Every structure is written in C-alpha cells, then in structure tokens.
Amino acid sequence: MSTGFERDHGEFVRGGRAVVVLPDQGHASRDAAARLAETAGLAQAIGLVVTSQHAVRVRALKPATLIGQGQVEQIAASVRMDEASLVIFDAALTPVQQRNLETGLAAKVIDRTGLILEIFGERAATAEGRLQVELAHLDYQAGRLVRSWTHLERQRGGFGFFGGPGETQIEADRRLIRDRMARLRRELDQVSRTRGLHRERRQRAPWPVIALVGYTNAGKSTLFNRLTGADVMAEDLLFATLDPTLRQIALPGIDKAILSDTVGFVSDLPTQLVAAFKATLEEVVAADLLVHVRDIAHPDSEAQRADVEAVLTELGVAETTPRFEAWNKLDLLDEAGRADMAREAGLRGNVVAISALSGEGVAAMMRAVAARLTEGHCRYTIELEVGDGAGAAWLHQHGDVIDHWVDGEAAVYEVRLSERDYARFGVRRGERPA
C-alpha cells in the first residue's frame, strides 16, 4: 500500500497522509481546538494531507508512550482507516516514547519540534538559513539517533525525519554529528561577524532600524511588502518566510529608516532553533523599535502575544527596547468588531489597528512609529565646517533643525535629535561613543 508519503533519493515527496494528535492535560493556556488547528496548519505548510485530528485527554503523562495504551490503540485504528504513514504529536516526545509509539501505531511518529525543524529545513532559502536549520536539526537529533547519519554530507533533503536507513553505526554517527556541528558553528560564527560589520556600517550611516516581529502568519510579510513595495513571500501559510529581509523606507519626518522582516515565532519554538537563529535575529536585538504585528482576529491572539514576548526574552531583547503593536487583520472582522478594535487601540499609546492587506490604518501606523522614534529628542548645538554639506544634510534628515548660522569658519546648528542619533552623529565624525 502506498500512501504517497515517500522519499525519492532522500527528498521529501508532498501529499503524504498524516494524523495529528494533541495530548490535552486540560490546563493549557490555549484552546485545544485552536492548538490542533495550528498543528494541522504546520503540517499542511510542508505539503502533508491531514486526514484526522485527535485531542486526547491525558490525566497523567506515561513515561513509555506519553498517552494511555487504549488511546494508542484508538489512534492506531484511525491510522489504518486513513491509510496514514505519519503521526504528528503536538508535544515533546522522548526518544523512548517516539520509538514505542512508532511500534504501537505502525507508523512514523514525530513531535512538534521535529515538525517545525522539517518546515524550516524546507523553507530556508539562503545558505545561512540552511546552515542554521541543519545545526538545529543535528542538535535535536543528537540525543535520539533514530536514524543512521552516514549521509550527513548530502545536501538538505528533509534531514531524515521521514525516512532513511535503519539504526546502525551509532557511535560513528555520533562522531559524524559532532564533527559536522563543529563545522557548522564555525561557519555561522563567520556569518555573525560579517553581519556585525554590516550592522556597524549601518550605524555609521546611521539610520534607525525597525524590526517587525510577531507570531507566524500574523501578517508581517504582507505589511513589509506594503511599506516597502517588496515582493517577500506572503501567504496564508505558517512560516511562509524564514530568512530576514531588510529594506529602506521613509517615514513622516524621517527620510530614511531600515525595516527588517523576520521569521514568525510560534508557541513552544524549539530551543535548538532559537539558539541556531540568534545570528539571524540579531537585527531584532539591535533594533531601535520593535513593531509587534498581531493577528487580532485570531481567538488566541493574547496567548500568541505572550509567546512572542517569551521568545524575545529568550533572545535577550531587553524590555527597555521600545515596542509598538500593530493589531492586524481588521479586514477579517465585521464592522462592529473593527469599530471595537479601533476604539480599544485608541485608548492605548502604543497600538494602532490596521489591515496590512487592505491598507486600512497603515498611514496612521507609520505616523505613530515615526513619533515613537523621535520622542525623547533633545536640543543640541552642533558645529560643522562650513563646507560640510553631507553633515548638514544628515542633521536635516535625522533631526529637526531649529536654527543655523555661520560663526567664522564654522556652521552652527541648533537641532533636536534623539540621544541615540546624537551618539551616531558623533561616530560619523570619528568620535568615540561616551
């Protein structure tokens, strides 16, 4: 019997049939149906056909199989009926639990971490992204070794989650994994150094950096495309884009700023991925302003907000970094819902309700972002050489020039600047920051 879920020369073939299982202990912050729908969406994002979904009530997690034996038999019956070859558990499975479940269900079993890693492996478009995903996958797989790793040198093809040779040469495989991880870390260190040089160059420029963050499928890339005119992949799909994208934009009163679109976050994001993607997400850590794009029409919007904040904390983003919330997807609400959201957003100083798809509220958001970037500006007196046209242009672009005059061989400017921009101007002139 063929289910369509096979590999051809190591590559994942779409159209495989999968069953999704949520072990529900009854005290999660999210609605079980919404969590099941999200996991099914993750599976569909990689081309799987989800044939059935099961929320399994569990009083106490079983060390051997996570769920009870009777529940294993019920799911096994569903697997046979659906002719599925894969069972996805929306939970973290130990290697022992994974193996026992595969035996009891007569199907391949992966957990939430494995599924997300497989999605990232397929979606990473750049060499850096592929390195990061492979490192995360090897870190995850090193503790379980449910497959042989004699093909570590091949190009990415799913990394072995859904197939591969049997369990052999375990010690040799572990050595291969350790060696490969060491090489990957060296390569990523070089990427991080290169990215740091680029960031230092931008700081000398210098332009404020605005990072879009948010839960996956919240509409970050749609908003990014609307603001920049770019064509970043933006679909109603979980993890539609992974690799960061930076573009130059203009804001009211700010001639030039850098807008960064980043990978969407998700609840229970694998720690291996958080660690591996820190180099990519350094733009978030160093941003002048974070715009948290939220799917305000989603029933778990508040829980998603908490998940994003948790990942930001894990990344080391300080709470002092200015935040701004864009309550997106107003177009999915009825007229009364849109009015309620707009009213609620108006009561808060750091929120604007928008629809990135239709453009509703986007102009107001840009004005609010510009105001947030320029708040706290102080008045400075700056002397330039009379012929320093570039310096004068910089002050006009990044500050509010109140007055200027010539005093002998110096051009004197009274200008309002943020403390950060004042420090950047000093860097531009070769001064060491205080």
Side-chain angles (χ1 to χ4, degrees):
M1 177 182 67
S2 175
T3 62
F5 191 83
E6 301 166 348
R7 286 184 180 273
D8 182 16
H9 303 294
E11 291 296 330
F12 166 60
V13 177
R14 290 176 172 269
R17 300 167 68 83
V19 171
V20 174
V21 178
L22 170 65
D24 182 14
Q25 292 185 276
H27 51 70
S29 61
R30 294 172 177 269
D31 176 70
R35 179 75 181 225
L36 267 176
E38 178 178 290
T39 306
L42 289 170
Q44 291 160 359
I46 200 169
L48 295 170
V49 176
V50 177
T51 58
S52 60
Q53 304 174 31
H54 306 269
V56 178
R57 194 61 181 266
V58 180
R59 293 182 180 176
L61 300 178
K62 309 296 182 184
T65 56
L66 192 73
I67 60 178
Q69 186 58 38
Q71 293 165 330
V72 171
E73 293 171 358
Q74 291 174 3
I75 296 169
S78 178
V79 169
R80 290 192 298 271
M81 183 180 300
D82 296 343
E83 295 187 340
S85 61
L86 178 70
V87 180
I88 302 167
F89 273 75
D90 189 359
L93 297 175
T94 67
V96 171
Q97 289 169 342
Q98 182 178 3
R99 185 170 306 183
N100 290 340
L101 286 167
E102 287 184 344
T103 300
L105 299 173
K108 181 73 185 92
V109 172
I110 61 171
D111 61 8
R112 184 179 179 86
T113 298
L115 177 62
I116 293 174
L117 285 170
E118 186 70 18
I119 295 170
F120 273 51
E122 183 182 81
R123 295 285 172 75
T126 64
E128 177 188 356
R130 288 192 290 271
L131 287 173
Q132 290 167 327
V133 172
E134 186 176 357
L135 177 61
H137 168 263
L138 292 175
D139 187 25
Y140 168 75
Q141 203 69 348
R144 49 193 68 213
L145 282 178
V146 296
R147 293 287 179 267
S148 173
W149 286 94
T150 55
H151 303 294
L152 285 175
E153 298 303 322
R154 65 176 170 80
Q155 295 295 317
R156 200 215 76 80
F159 297 117
F161 276 119
F162 301 117
E167 208 173 3
T168 59
Q169 301 181 347
I170 296 299
E171 290 304 321
D173 293 343
R174 285 179 177 144
R175 185 170 60 255
L176 282 171
I177 288 178
R178 287 194 301 269
D179 293 346
R180 179 62 175 162
M181 288 177 69
R183 287 200 301 274
L184 289 172
R185 288 193 176 102
R186 287 195 295 271
E187 292 181 50
L188 284 171
D189 284 344
Q190 180 60 45
V191 169
S192 183
R193 285 193 292 272
T194 302
R195 193 178 291 277
L197 291 174
H198 292 168
R199 185 177 302 107
E200 183 180 345
R201 193 174 302 134
R202 283 197 301 274
Q203 288 174 342
R204 288 199 195 104
W207 305 310
V209 175
I210 306 160
L212 300 180
V213 299
Y215 207 81
T216 184
N217 207 31
K220 297 183 309 304
S221 295
T222 302
L223 179 60
F224 183 85
N225 290 341
R226 177 168 289 279
L227 294 177
T228 65
D231 57 354
V232 172
M233 181 181 179
E235 296 183 8
D236 186 14
L237 192 68
L238 297 174
F239 295 122
T241 181
L242 294 183
D243 295 290
T245 308
L246 286 79
R247 292 287 188 276
Q248 176 183 313
I249 63 170
L251 294 168
I254 301 176
D255 289 346
K256 193 176 295 185
I258 300 297
L259 185 66
S260 171
D261 184 23
T262 60
V263 60
F265 300 156
V266 70
S267 63
D268 300 327
L269 188 68
T271 56
Q272 293 91 346
L273 272 179
V274 174
F277 274 76
K278 274 191 175 180
T280 299
L281 294 171
E282 282 173 355
E283 296 298 338
V284 174
V285 177
D288 298 281
L289 178 68
L290 299 183
V291 176
H292 183 175
V293 182
R294 291 177 55 186
D295 179 356
I296 205 64
H298 196 283
D300 278 338
S301 183
E302 281 298 325
Q304 291 179 352
R305 183 200 63 78
D307 288 331
V308 170
E309 289 296 332
V311 175
L312 290 175
T313 299
E314 191 171 355
L315 287 171
V317 177
E319 292 184 3
T320 55
T321 302
R323 306 280 212 280
F324 188 87
E325 288 192 3
W327 288 0
N328 191 28
K329 302 197 179 181
L330 286 181
D331 52 286
L332 297 183
L333 301 176
D334 57 25
E335 187 173 346
R338 285 200 301 274
D340 288 343
M341 286 301 167
R343 183 165 49 252
E344 176 66 21
L347 296 175
R348 308 190 187 196
N350 64 338
V351 175
V352 171
I354 68 166
S355 168
L357 189 63
S358 70
E360 180 181 357
V362 171
M365 185 203 75
M366 294 179 71
R367 290 193 297 270
V369 167
R372 190 68 185 272
L373 285 171
T374 56
E375 72 181 12
H377 284 198
C378 298
R379 185 165 176 163
Y380 298 97
T381 300
I382 296 176
E383 291 188 4
L384 300 176
E385 294 181 3
V386 172
D388 188 1
W394 193 99
L395 292 176
H396 281 280
Q397 288 175 354
H398 295 84
D400 178 19
V401 177
I402 301 168
D403 195 9
H404 73 281
W405 62 91
V406 175
D407 183 6
E409 297 183 356
V412 184
Y413 288 82
E414 290 285 337
V415 58
R416 290 188 184 277
L417 287 170
S418 69
E419 186 177 336
R420 185 187 292 253
D421 276 341
Y422 182 66
R424 285 171 168 167
F425 189 72
V427 171
R428 175 189 173 277
R429 296 200 294 180
E431 300 172 4
R432 291 188 176 184

